[in-house]
Amino acid sequence: MVHKVIFIVLLVGYIVGEVKPAEKQEDFLIFTVATNETEGFKRFTRSVRANGLVDNLKVLGLGKTWKGGDVKKFAGGGQKINLFKEALEEYKDDTERIVLFTDSYDVIFIGSGELIIDKFLSFDARVLFSAEGYCWPDKSLASKYPETNRGKRYLNSGGFIGYASDVYAIVSSSDIKDQDDDQLFYTKIYLDDELRKKYNIKLDHKAEIFQNLNGAVGDVELRFKGNDAYIQNTAYNTVPLIVHGNGASKLVLNSLGNYLAQAWNLEEGCLNCWDDTIELQKDQPETYPVLLIAVFIEKPTPFMEEFFERIYAQAYPKSKLHLFLRNNVPYHEKIVEMFVKEHGDEYKSLKQIKPDDNINEVTAKDLSIDYCLQKKCSGYFLIDSEAHLDNVHTFKLLVEQQRGIVAPLLVRPFKAWSNFWGAITDDGFYARSSDYMQIINNDRRGLWNVPFVSNCYLINATLINNKATRPVYAFGDLDTDMAFAQANRERDIFMYVSNRLEFGHLVSPDNYDIKLTNPDIYQIFDNKLDWQRRYIHENYTENFNPNHTHIQPCPDVYWFPIVTDRFAEELIQVMEAFGKWSDGTNTDPRLSGGYENVPTRDIHMTQVNYEPQWLYFLKEYVRPLQELAFTGYYHDPPRSLMNFVVRYRPDEQPSLKPHHDSSTYTINIALNRAGIDYEGGGCRFIRYDCSVTDTKRGWMLMHPGRLTHYHEGLRVTKGTRYIMISFVDP
Ligand SMILES: *[C@@H]1O[C@H](CO)[C@@H](O)[C@H](O)[C@H]1NC(C)=O
Ligand SMILES: *[C@@H]1O[C@H](CO)[C@@H](O)[C@H](O)[C@H]1NC(C)=O
Ligand SMILES: *[C@@H]1O[C@H](CO)[C@@H](O)[C@H](O)[C@H]1NC(C)=O
Ligand SMILES: *[C@@H]1O[C@H](CO)[C@@H](O)[C@H](O)[C@H]1NC(C)=O
């Protein structure tokens, strides 16, 4: 019975032409050297496992001290050969067994052992080294290389494969010091005609197994076959099985590593997101790790109240949160102090740095890290005043992700600006990666290894505790964000950005002018989302519900909720702070004709520099309502030359005589409260003998201008009444 099964297996194998001694794949050995279990090393072993080869892997040197020098900058790496030689000794007489050696921190396996072995056998070599386009470390040897008509010419020792006996003979052919260069060692053997023939050494010129990326980034493309990612070498039309981010190409490897080896696929999305994650139980707040929340306010920033509200709203036990508040903007002191007064003592501890302390940003960042250590934090969560965490679970989700550095993806709404860079130029500046737009638009969701994160991120305290990995915020004349990212890149500390879920957004401080009264109300262009949340009436969208019956207090006079109480109050403050109300006479130098037939006491939007914002408001929020109320009339954008706030009071101008407006339609927004802030007032439409007196703050009346809606402003008997008027499409 057993024999029959074996026979059938062999027969099937024979028919599909893949008969191979079964022991080949099992005997196949993969050696690598790693002295530290870095994130790059974890990525490597993950890829080996994903290709079913984890039992074939032998890791050399773990926990040992690296003596091979700084191979990024200088030659070195002889220690790799010495470790390999030692490990290979037991196989030195094995002429059948195939062994493969690769680096680990910057290597990813893409193909199965079977494919690798098949490819190797097709070379008809005893030993095959990977190849690259640079002759390193001794350029003068370039001319000694045999001619190649196609492919990369020079040997790279970051990956090679061969029969155990031959590989052993090579590594033991002479002694090498730990700090000597391993690539030079192998190169010399390869360039010796006699030895090359003796060991039958060949180079993988066309990346059939080994793809070295340095100098060859343009040769490769990330592609998908079915759901899975692979790389295609378009220069030589090959599909490499092992990719090596040598030299300057490691950031490209990091990007590819976001997809390769089943890290991410088209159907299931992010698979490596689930590696090493933990779950924090809602009902066990005592198990949550302690975080330091380090808030940095470095420049005047709009919507600070909302910023603090969102930090406060985070669903994370406050008994597990220390707070470090660094504010360097006197203008924001009030809001910071308000937050501290209201909520400060709910946190485990609180430390403040104020504008008066005269501490620069780098020092403040250092102090915050020291504070984290002093409080024995488990994580350091930095957040800039621009970062709004709309998702109340952000702290928790990022902790559960368990990465050294992880940022929530935050984007400026409607813009392509975010808190990460997908790629970087050689001189350290922004470059757009091919998947950048897909990530910020959430067409691809996942956890992305990227070369730059800023504004908001969680750093695990294990990194902070170690001098070699503690965050750095000063680096030449780079700004603190650039310095931080640059130092992490140099130390091979991965920075991840997550868009597995929505976390929040960035506000833009670019055109924020704190010299204005209520500067946030001016932010409709730069920060439309936040502006809308703060200033547009919460029932505004209800106007568009098809089931909604629009209120008409008088014939063809519509009444819509449009702005918040806050908007109304702030607009009045803007006007009163400006204070130059017109005198109510017919002479009006603000008008092109200099004459006003029906004068009011008012201030024009142009006078408080609010005209562009107001016209945009008309276009974005008023026009759609007009189209609902008066169907068939379509003017986009609406035009309006007269936009102003009117003030009625008994001792100034209490009322307005009957008149027509020179407009197609007029809007009239009540800015304060009838019966509370003033008495009397309202608007009477004479033709219908219909008055609206119980006006509601934040609600807008909309009525036709000429002909039908002859109207008057009713007398205010007490207090002050404010309304906002526009004559649209005069
Ligand atoms: C690597 O390990 C050594 C100790 O073996 C340690 O001193 C060093 O900080 C580690 N490097 C990193 C980047 O973790
Ligand atoms: C930091 O890392 C340690 C060890 O991996 C882990 O136990 C801890 O939960 C992490 N802390 C945070 C805040 O993520
Ligand atoms: C919005 O509408 C709901 C339901 O009619 C009402 O309860 C609520 O008070 C309205 N909001 C405001 C700000 O008027
Ligand atoms: C409108 O009313 C219908 C019937 O009452 C209801 O099924 C539908 O959900 C309502 N639509 C909205 C947007 O509320």
Side-chain angles (χ1 to χ4, degrees):
M1 190 60 199
V2 170
H3 284 246
K4 247 186 218 159
V5 171
I6 288 173
F7 173 75
I8 288 167
V9 168
L10 284 176
L11 186 65
V12 169
Y14 178 73
I15 290 166
V16 299
E18 285 182 11
V19 176
K20 206 176 297 126
E23 62 277 10
K24 271 260 157 67
Q25 157 99 24
E26 277 165 38
D27 288 351
F28 179 44
L29 287 179
I30 299 167
F31 292 90
T32 194
V33 169
T35 47
N36 282 34
E37 284 191 77
T38 63
E39 290 170 291
F41 176 72
K42 286 189 193 149
R43 175 179 63 192
F44 170 79
T45 48
R46 183 187 191 284
S47 75
V48 169
R49 187 175 302 111
N51 284 290
L53 287 168
V54 77
D55 293 335
N56 305 61
L57 176 65
K58 293 197 182 298
V59 181
L60 314 175
L62 270 185
K64 296 206 169 134
T65 307
W66 176 247
K67 296 183 212 134
D70 183 354
V71 289
K72 259 178 282 173
K73 295 194 181 99
F74 312 102
Q79 189 180 8
K80 289 194 281 185
I81 295 184
N82 288 327
L83 287 165
F84 188 30
K85 180 163 55 181
E86 189 186 328
L88 208 52
E89 187 153 3
E90 60 175 295
Y91 307 101
K92 66 180 177 189
D93 300 320
D94 196 335
T95 56
E96 296 280 311
R97 182 188 298 267
I98 296 171
V99 299
L100 184 147
F101 182 92
T102 73
D103 290 347
S104 62
Y105 302 148
D106 53 2
V107 168
I108 296 173
F109 268 63
I110 318 170
S112 69
E114 204 171 302
L115 286 172
I116 292 169
I117 291 168
D118 273 356
K119 260 283 143 41
F120 170 62
L121 294 176
S122 76
F123 274 89
D124 198 19
R126 292 295 294 177
V127 180
L128 179 75
F129 278 87
S130 72
E132 65 168 312
Y134 298 120
C135 186
W136 165 264
D138 184 352
K139 281 197 194 118
S140 71
L141 295 175
S143 59
K144 302 216 163 64
Y145 270 83
E147 288 293 330
T148 35
N149 46 11
R150 259 187 104 215
K152 305 294 184 221
R153 188 170 177 189
Y154 308 109
L155 178 146
N156 179 287
S157 62
F160 54 94
I161 182 170
Y163 291 98
S165 53
D166 300 83
V167 174
Y168 184 78
I170 288 172
V171 294
S172 58
S173 61
S174 65
D175 284 341
I176 178 167
K177 292 202 195 84
D178 279 349
Q179 59 278 11
D180 285 349
D181 193 69
D182 61 325
Q183 188 151 299
L184 189 63
F185 177 91
Y186 294 118
T187 302
K188 283 183 172 160
I189 292 171
Y190 177 72
L191 292 182
D192 182 321
D193 288 341
E194 212 171 289
L195 293 176
R196 183 166 67 247
K197 293 211 179 82
K198 178 173 166 198
Y199 301 123
N200 188 9
I201 308 174
K202 294 184 179 169
L203 299 190
D204 182 10
H205 297 292
K206 294 183 229 161
E208 294 184 59
I209 297 178
F210 301 103
Q211 175 69 58
N212 289 306
L213 286 175
N214 199 15
V217 167
D219 293 357
V220 302
E221 265 174 30
L222 181 76
R223 291 192 185 167
F224 289 89
K225 182 152 126 206
N227 285 319
D228 292 324
Y230 68 100
I231 55 173
Q232 175 79 42
N233 184 312
T234 54
Y236 310 121
N237 196 25
T238 51
V239 177
L241 304 170
I242 295 171
V243 58
H244 181 203
N246 53 324
S249 69
K250 69 179 174 180
L251 295 179
V252 176
L253 184 80
N254 288 352
S255 309
L256 293 171
N258 288 326
Y259 298 95
L260 295 176
Q262 290 161 39
W264 193 95
N265 78 26
L266 288 172
E267 191 180 300
E268 295 152 292
C270 187
L271 300 170
N272 67 357
C273 286
W274 300 98
D275 298 348
D276 303 325
T277 56
I278 60 167
E279 215 172 304
L280 297 175
Q281 303 299 333
K282 267 202 195 86
D283 55 352
Q284 292 172 16
E286 68 283 359
T287 63
Y288 283 43
V290 172
L291 304 182
L292 171 75
I293 310 302
V295 173
F296 283 86
I297 307 168
E298 294 300 329
K299 52 187 155 201
T301 313
F303 300 101
M304 282 302 287
E305 285 173 52
E306 289 82 352
F307 167 80
F308 276 115
E309 276 165 20
R310 287 179 187 131
I311 288 181
Y312 184 69
Q314 285 296 309
Y316 203 94
K318 301 227 169 3
S319 61
K320 296 287 181 177
L321 297 177
H322 295 280
L323 214 50
F324 183 97
L325 293 179
R326 140 69 169 197
N327 174 28
N328 201 32
V329 183
Y331 180 80
H332 289 314
E333 274 192 285
K334 221 164 90 191
I335 182 103
V336 173
E337 290 315 316
M338 213 158 80
F339 179 80
V340 169
K341 191 161 156 246
E342 275 175 27
H343 302 302
D345 52 15
E346 294 171 47
Y347 291 86
K348 201 167 160 66
S349 80
L350 173 86
K351 184 177 168 75
Q352 273 186 275
I353 295 188
K354 303 183 182 188
D356 288 347
D357 295 331
N358 280 319
I359 287 177
N360 70 29
E361 187 187 349
V362 172
T363 310
K365 291 216 151 105
D366 262 347
L367 288 172
S368 68
I369 288 168
D370 289 342
Y371 191 65
C372 190
L373 293 175
Q374 186 193 325
K375 295 293 174 189
K376 302 203 164 26
C377 67
S378 172
Y380 171 87
F381 192 100
L382 175 139
I383 181 164
D384 285 347
S385 53
E386 286 147 59
H388 284 214
L389 300 178
D390 302 311
N391 186 334
V392 298
H393 300 294
T394 304
F395 289 177
K396 175 169 177 280
L397 289 163
L398 294 186
V399 169
E400 290 179 331
Q401 188 64 69
Q402 294 284 303
R403 292 295 184 275
I405 300 176
V406 58
L409 173 65
L410 304 174
V411 181
R412 286 188 184 173
F414 322 112
K415 308 260 161 57
W417 178 290
S418 76
N419 65 330
F420 83 98
W421 296 355
I424 207 154
T425 59
D426 289 342
D427 47 359
F429 287 96
Y430 176 82
R432 184 173 281 189
S433 61
S434 58
D435 54 6
Y436 181 77
M437 292 308 292
Q438 283 157 312
I439 293 173
I440 65 162
N441 292 329
N442 294 325
D443 295 334
R444 286 184 187 170
R445 284 188 183 272
L447 183 65
W448 313 97
N449 184 340
V450 295
F452 178 92
V453 296
S454 64
N455 297 126
C456 181
Y457 42 79
L458 174 66
I459 307 178
N460 192 290
T462 50
L463 290 176
I464 290 174
N465 267 312
N466 185 339
K467 254 211 157 71
T469 53
R470 178 182 159 128
V472 165
Y473 287 99
F475 208 104
D477 51 8
L478 295 179
D479 70 32
T480 55
D481 291 333
M482 298 264 284
F484 170 70
Q486 161 110 7
N488 292 329
R489 292 195 301 270
E490 294 214 338
R491 300 141 137 199
D492 294 329
I493 299 169
F494 290 172
M495 291 168 276
Y496 291 94
V497 66
S498 171
N499 67 339
R500 296 178 69 186
L501 292 160
E502 306 278 340
F503 292 106
H505 69 282
L506 293 177
V507 302
S508 161
D510 293 351
N511 296 299
Y512 190 56
D513 181 0
I514 54 172
K515 291 194 292 301
L516 297 166
T517 303
N518 297 332
D520 292 10
I521 208 174
Y522 288 81
Q523 285 291 309
I524 189 170
F525 295 114
D526 288 73
N527 292 292
K528 188 175 176 191
L529 178 74
D530 305 274
W531 192 93
Q532 188 170 303
R533 285 180 179 169
R534 190 192 275 184
Y535 295 123
I536 290 295
H537 196 284
E538 70 167 315
N539 293 332
Y540 172 78
T541 50
E542 193 48 33
N543 293 316
F544 300 91
N545 182 338
N547 295 353
H548 188 73
T549 8
H550 302 298
I551 307 173
Q552 285 185 65
C554 297
D556 280 331
V557 176
Y558 286 85
W559 210 6
F560 300 110
I562 187 159
V563 292
T564 56
D565 289 350
R566 172 121 185 219
F567 177 89
E569 284 165 8
E570 290 193 13
L571 188 59
I572 292 172
Q573 286 161 6
V574 167
M575 294 305 172
E576 288 296 354
F578 177 71
K580 294 177 190 150
W581 298 92
S582 61
D583 61 6
T585 63
N586 294 110
T587 314
D588 192 340
R590 297 169 302 177
L591 305 179
S592 54
Y595 182 83
E596 171 57 64
N597 192 26
V598 193
T600 48
R601 302 278 185 158
D602 56 42
I603 292 172
H604 288 191
M605 290 301 181
T606 48
Q607 293 175 279
V608 291
N609 297 320
Y610 205 66
E611 184 85 348
Q613 286 83 351
W614 191 257
L615 292 177
Y616 188 64
F617 172 81
L618 291 180
K619 173 180 162 59
E620 293 295 296
Y621 302 101
V622 173
R623 179 189 51 82
L625 291 175
Q626 171 269 303
E627 285 166 14
L628 273 183
F630 302 108
T631 42
Y633 182 73
Y634 185 81
H635 260 215
D636 188 13
R639 271 192 334 116
S640 178
L641 304 174
M642 294 274 282
N643 306 293
F644 52 97
V645 169
V646 181
R647 180 167 87 176
Y648 290 113
R649 45 167 66 155
D651 59 351
E652 204 176 66
Q653 175 176 13
S655 62
L656 188 61
K657 67 179 185 183
H659 62 281
H660 280 295
D661 294 337
S662 73
S663 69
T664 301
Y665 65 93
T666 295
I667 61 162
N668 173 338
I669 301 177
L671 298 180
N672 60 350
R673 297 163 298 178
I676 299 175
D677 301 315
Y678 61 89
E679 276 164 30
C683 187
R684 176 166 169 265
F685 296 91
I686 291 143
R687 183 180 165 92
Y688 310 100
D689 190 20
C690 176
S691 299
V692 188
T693 51
D694 56 343
T695 54
K696 292 184 266 195
R697 179 162 63 180
W699 284 57
M700 169 177 78
L701 290 170
M702 178 185 279
H703 61 80
R706 300 185 190 88
L707 222 54
T708 52
H709 285 64
Y710 193 56
H711 59 285
E712 64 180 324
L714 297 174
R715 176 170 298 272
V716 171
T717 54
K718 201 174 160 193
T720 306
R721 176 181 180 225
Y722 297 94
I723 53 175
M724 157 71 218
I725 305 287
S726 283
F727 298 148
V728 186
D729 296 334

mmCIF file of all heavy atoms in Angstrom, residues 296-301 304 326-336 353-356 385 512 514:
data_model
loop_
_atom_site.group_PDB
_atom_site.id
_atom_site.type_symbol
_atom_site.label_atom_id
_atom_site.label_comp_id
_atom_site.label_asym_id
_atom_site.label_seq_id
_atom_site.Cartn_x
_atom_site.Cartn_y
_atom_site.Cartn_z
ATOM 1 N N PHE A 296 3.088 69.239 21.733
ATOM 2 C CA PHE A 296 3.973 70.326 21.292
ATOM 3 C C PHE A 296 3.206 71.368 20.506
ATOM 4 O O PHE A 296 2.649 71.079 19.457
ATOM 5 C CB PHE A 296 5.137 69.778 20.462
ATOM 6 C CG PHE A 296 6.176 69.144 21.327
ATOM 7 C CD1 PHE A 296 6.053 67.827 21.702
ATOM 8 C CD2 PHE A 296 7.241 69.887 21.808
ATOM 9 C CE1 PHE A 296 6.990 67.242 22.554
ATOM 10 C CE2 PHE A 296 8.185 69.320 22.649
ATOM 11 C CZ PHE A 296 8.059 67.999 23.022
ATOM 12 N N ILE A 297 3.198 72.577 21.066
ATOM 13 C CA ILE A 297 2.571 73.696 20.357
ATOM 14 C C ILE A 297 3.706 74.648 20.014
ATOM 15 O O ILE A 297 4.195 75.388 20.867
ATOM 16 C CB ILE A 297 1.522 74.393 21.243
ATOM 17 C CG1 ILE A 297 0.521 73.369 21.777
ATOM 18 C CG2 ILE A 297 0.807 75.501 20.457
ATOM 19 C CD1 ILE A 297 -0.376 73.907 22.890
ATOM 20 N N GLU A 298 4.152 74.572 18.777
ATOM 21 C CA GLU A 298 5.321 75.363 18.375
ATOM 22 C C GLU A 298 4.932 76.609 17.607
ATOM 23 O O GLU A 298 5.698 77.543 17.513
ATOM 24 C CB GLU A 298 6.274 74.523 17.515
ATOM 25 C CG GLU A 298 6.930 73.366 18.246
ATOM 26 C CD GLU A 298 7.765 73.812 19.444
ATOM 27 O OE1 GLU A 298 8.321 74.923 19.411
ATOM 28 O OE2 GLU A 298 7.836 73.039 20.424
ATOM 29 N N LYS A 299 3.754 76.578 16.975
ATOM 30 C CA LYS A 299 3.358 77.757 16.198
ATOM 31 C C LYS A 299 1.860 77.970 16.328
ATOM 32 O O LYS A 299 1.122 77.034 16.636
ATOM 33 C CB LYS A 299 3.756 77.588 14.733
ATOM 34 C CG LYS A 299 3.278 76.297 14.106
ATOM 35 C CD LYS A 299 3.863 76.142 12.709
ATOM 36 C CE LYS A 299 3.919 74.684 12.326
ATOM 37 N NZ LYS A 299 4.805 74.293 11.309
ATOM 38 N N PRO A 300 1.432 79.202 16.086
ATOM 39 C CA PRO A 300 -0.003 79.484 16.163
ATOM 40 C C PRO A 300 -0.760 78.507 15.263
ATOM 41 O O PRO A 300 -0.407 78.332 14.101
ATOM 42 C CB PRO A 300 -0.110 80.916 15.643
ATOM 43 C CG PRO A 300 1.229 81.526 15.903
ATOM 44 C CD PRO A 300 2.213 80.400 15.715
ATOM 45 N N THR A 301 -1.762 77.875 15.832
ATOM 46 C CA THR A 301 -2.464 76.812 15.130
ATOM 47 C C THR A 301 -3.964 77.000 15.304
ATOM 48 O O THR A 301 -4.426 77.210 16.432
ATOM 49 C CB THR A 301 -2.072 75.440 15.737
ATOM 50 O OG1 THR A 301 -0.660 75.384 15.885
ATOM 51 C CG2 THR A 301 -2.539 74.297 14.859
ATOM 52 N N MET A 304 -7.542 74.995 18.177
ATOM 53 C CA MET A 304 -6.869 74.391 19.319
ATOM 54 C C MET A 304 -7.849 73.806 20.339
ATOM 55 O O MET A 304 -7.519 72.855 21.034
ATOM 56 C CB MET A 304 -5.978 75.429 20.017
ATOM 57 C CG MET A 304 -4.670 75.681 19.313
ATOM 58 S SD MET A 304 -3.686 74.185 19.138
ATOM 59 C CE MET A 304 -3.148 73.958 20.809
ATOM 60 N N ARG A 326 3.985 71.240 26.152
ATOM 61 C CA ARG A 326 4.969 72.247 25.772
ATOM 62 C C ARG A 326 4.253 73.252 24.860
ATOM 63 O O ARG A 326 3.817 72.897 23.775
ATOM 64 C CB ARG A 326 6.102 71.557 25.023
ATOM 65 C CG ARG A 326 6.657 72.302 23.831
ATOM 66 C CD ARG A 326 7.414 73.565 24.212
ATOM 67 N NE ARG A 326 8.145 74.074 23.039
ATOM 68 C CZ ARG A 326 9.131 74.933 23.111
ATOM 69 N NH1 ARG A 326 9.492 75.416 24.272
ATOM 70 N NH2 ARG A 326 9.736 75.322 22.020
ATOM 71 N N ASN A 327 4.119 74.493 25.365
ATOM 72 C CA ASN A 327 3.520 75.532 24.537
ATOM 73 C C ASN A 327 4.525 76.650 24.346
ATOM 74 O O ASN A 327 5.044 77.202 25.304
ATOM 75 C CB ASN A 327 2.249 76.078 25.192
ATOM 76 C CG ASN A 327 1.695 77.263 24.423
ATOM 77 O OD1 ASN A 327 1.905 77.369 23.205
ATOM 78 N ND2 ASN A 327 1.015 78.157 25.109
ATOM 79 N N ASN A 328 4.781 76.984 23.096
ATOM 80 C CA ASN A 328 5.727 78.053 22.817
ATOM 81 C C ASN A 328 5.045 79.269 22.183
ATOM 82 O O ASN A 328 5.706 80.103 21.592
ATOM 83 C CB ASN A 328 6.838 77.522 21.909
ATOM 84 C CG ASN A 328 8.086 78.370 21.988
ATOM 85 O OD1 ASN A 328 8.377 78.934 23.053
ATOM 86 N ND2 ASN A 328 8.804 78.490 20.892
ATOM 87 N N VAL A 329 3.718 79.318 22.280
ATOM 88 C CA VAL A 329 2.965 80.379 21.613
ATOM 89 C C VAL A 329 2.123 81.140 22.651
ATOM 90 O O VAL A 329 1.127 80.614 23.143
ATOM 91 C CB VAL A 329 2.023 79.785 20.540
ATOM 92 C CG1 VAL A 329 1.287 80.900 19.804
ATOM 93 C CG2 VAL A 329 2.791 78.901 19.571
ATOM 94 N N PRO A 330 2.533 82.360 23.007
ATOM 95 C CA PRO A 330 1.793 83.115 24.022
ATOM 96 C C PRO A 330 0.290 83.183 23.697
ATOM 97 O O PRO A 330 -0.538 83.100 24.596
ATOM 98 C CB PRO A 330 2.442 84.507 23.974
ATOM 99 C CG PRO A 330 3.825 84.246 23.463
ATOM 100 C CD PRO A 330 3.723 83.085 22.525
ATOM 101 N N TYR A 331 -0.027 83.326 22.431
ATOM 102 C CA TYR A 331 -1.437 83.421 22.034
ATOM 103 C C TYR A 331 -2.254 82.228 22.535
ATOM 104 O O TYR A 331 -3.432 82.350 22.830
ATOM 105 C CB TYR A 331 -1.521 83.512 20.504
ATOM 106 C CG TYR A 331 -2.930 83.610 19.974
ATOM 107 C CD1 TYR A 331 -3.612 84.828 19.992
ATOM 108 C CD2 TYR A 331 -3.580 82.496 19.459
ATOM 109 C CE1 TYR A 331 -4.908 84.931 19.514
ATOM 110 C CE2 TYR A 331 -4.881 82.584 18.978
ATOM 111 C CZ TYR A 331 -5.537 83.810 19.005
ATOM 112 O OH TYR A 331 -6.814 83.899 18.527
ATOM 113 N N HIS A 332 -1.627 81.072 22.641
ATOM 114 C CA HIS A 332 -2.374 79.865 23.030
ATOM 115 C C HIS A 332 -2.359 79.593 24.533
ATOM 116 O O HIS A 332 -2.894 78.586 24.984
ATOM 117 C CB HIS A 332 -1.842 78.635 22.287
ATOM 118 C CG HIS A 332 -2.183 78.627 20.826
ATOM 119 N ND1 HIS A 332 -3.442 78.908 20.358
ATOM 120 C CD2 HIS A 332 -1.427 78.375 19.729
ATOM 121 C CE1 HIS A 332 -3.453 78.827 19.028
ATOM 122 N NE2 HIS A 332 -2.248 78.521 18.621
ATOM 123 N N GLU A 333 -1.740 80.492 25.293
ATOM 124 C CA GLU A 333 -1.637 80.225 26.736
ATOM 125 C C GLU A 333 -2.997 80.054 27.395
ATOM 126 O O GLU A 333 -3.188 79.200 28.255
ATOM 127 C CB GLU A 333 -0.857 81.351 27.424
ATOM 128 C CG GLU A 333 0.633 81.092 27.372
ATOM 129 C CD GLU A 333 1.397 82.014 28.284
ATOM 130 O OE1 GLU A 333 1.555 83.202 27.925
ATOM 131 O OE2 GLU A 333 1.822 81.550 29.363
ATOM 132 N N LYS A 334 -3.953 80.873 26.939
ATOM 133 C CA LYS A 334 -5.268 80.837 27.551
ATOM 134 C C LYS A 334 -5.899 79.444 27.428
ATOM 135 O O LYS A 334 -6.406 78.882 28.401
ATOM 136 C CB LYS A 334 -6.172 81.883 26.884
ATOM 137 C CG LYS A 334 -7.033 82.624 27.868
ATOM 138 C CD LYS A 334 -7.625 83.892 27.277
ATOM 139 C CE LYS A 334 -8.965 83.628 26.632
ATOM 140 N NZ LYS A 334 -9.443 84.765 25.838
ATOM 141 N N ILE A 335 -5.822 78.903 26.229
ATOM 142 C CA ILE A 335 -6.487 77.624 25.990
ATOM 143 C C ILE A 335 -5.761 76.490 26.721
ATOM 144 O O ILE A 335 -6.379 75.579 27.271
ATOM 145 C CB ILE A 335 -6.604 77.358 24.475
ATOM 146 C CG1 ILE A 335 -7.346 76.046 24.207
ATOM 147 C CG2 ILE A 335 -5.304 77.308 23.760
ATOM 148 C CD1 ILE A 335 -8.722 76.329 23.784
ATOM 149 N N VAL A 336 -4.429 76.604 26.786
ATOM 150 C CA VAL A 336 -3.667 75.585 27.507
ATOM 151 C C VAL A 336 -4.030 75.629 28.989
ATOM 152 O O VAL A 336 -4.316 74.598 29.611
ATOM 153 C CB VAL A 336 -2.147 75.785 27.316
ATOM 154 C CG1 VAL A 336 -1.359 74.835 28.205
ATOM 155 C CG2 VAL A 336 -1.753 75.599 25.852
ATOM 156 N N ILE A 353 5.742 73.234 29.950
ATOM 157 C CA ILE A 353 6.766 74.205 29.566
ATOM 158 C C ILE A 353 6.036 75.340 28.873
ATOM 159 O O ILE A 353 5.273 75.118 27.929
ATOM 160 C CB ILE A 353 7.818 73.571 28.646
ATOM 161 C CG1 ILE A 353 8.573 72.497 29.427
ATOM 162 C CG2 ILE A 353 8.774 74.625 28.125
ATOM 163 C CD1 ILE A 353 9.762 71.936 28.709
ATOM 164 N N LYS A 354 6.262 76.546 29.384
ATOM 165 C CA LYS A 354 5.494 77.695 28.902
ATOM 166 C C LYS A 354 6.375 78.614 28.069
ATOM 167 O O LYS A 354 7.601 78.538 28.137
ATOM 168 C CB LYS A 354 4.937 78.455 30.114
ATOM 169 C CG LYS A 354 4.085 77.575 31.010
ATOM 170 C CD LYS A 354 3.493 78.364 32.156
ATOM 171 C CE LYS A 354 2.698 77.415 33.052
ATOM 172 N NZ LYS A 354 1.945 78.123 34.069
ATOM 173 N N PRO A 355 5.740 79.504 27.316
ATOM 174 C CA PRO A 355 6.531 80.420 26.480
ATOM 175 C C PRO A 355 7.587 81.178 27.286
ATOM 176 O O PRO A 355 8.714 81.354 26.825
ATOM 177 C CB PRO A 355 5.484 81.384 25.918
ATOM 178 C CG PRO A 355 4.194 80.637 25.972
ATOM 179 C CD PRO A 355 4.292 79.694 27.132
ATOM 180 N N ASP A 356 7.228 81.573 28.516
ATOM 181 C CA ASP A 356 8.164 82.330 29.356
ATOM 182 C C ASP A 356 9.419 81.556 29.715
ATOM 183 O O ASP A 356 10.427 82.134 30.097
ATOM 184 C CB ASP A 356 7.486 82.703 30.694
ATOM 185 C CG ASP A 356 6.445 83.767 30.493
ATOM 186 O OD1 ASP A 356 6.439 84.357 29.390
ATOM 187 O OD2 ASP A 356 5.647 83.993 31.426
ATOM 188 N N SER A 385 0.400 70.281 17.651
ATOM 189 C CA SER A 385 -0.904 70.958 17.700
ATOM 190 C C SER A 385 -1.701 70.840 16.404
ATOM 191 O O SER A 385 -2.887 71.100 16.382
ATOM 192 C CB SER A 385 -0.699 72.435 18.050
ATOM 193 O OG SER A 385 0.240 73.019 17.165
ATOM 194 N N TYR A 512 -2.617 81.209 9.134
ATOM 195 C CA TYR A 512 -3.337 81.506 10.361
ATOM 196 C C TYR A 512 -2.818 82.818 10.922
ATOM 197 O O TYR A 512 -1.648 82.911 11.295
ATOM 198 C CB TYR A 512 -3.123 80.371 11.353
ATOM 199 C CG TYR A 512 -4.006 80.445 12.578
ATOM 200 C CD1 TYR A 512 -5.382 80.512 12.463
ATOM 201 C CD2 TYR A 512 -3.443 80.419 13.849
ATOM 202 C CE1 TYR A 512 -6.184 80.555 13.587
ATOM 203 C CE2 TYR A 512 -4.233 80.452 14.979
ATOM 204 C CZ TYR A 512 -5.612 80.525 14.839
ATOM 205 O OH TYR A 512 -6.407 80.556 15.958
ATOM 206 N N ILE A 514 -3.021 85.434 13.733
ATOM 207 C CA ILE A 514 -3.556 85.669 15.082
ATOM 208 C C ILE A 514 -3.722 87.159 15.391
ATOM 209 O O ILE A 514 -4.187 87.507 16.466
ATOM 210 C CB ILE A 514 -2.691 84.992 16.180
ATOM 211 C CG1 ILE A 514 -1.239 85.420 16.074
ATOM 212 C CG2 ILE A 514 -2.835 83.486 16.116
ATOM 213 C CD1 ILE A 514 -0.378 84.934 17.233
#
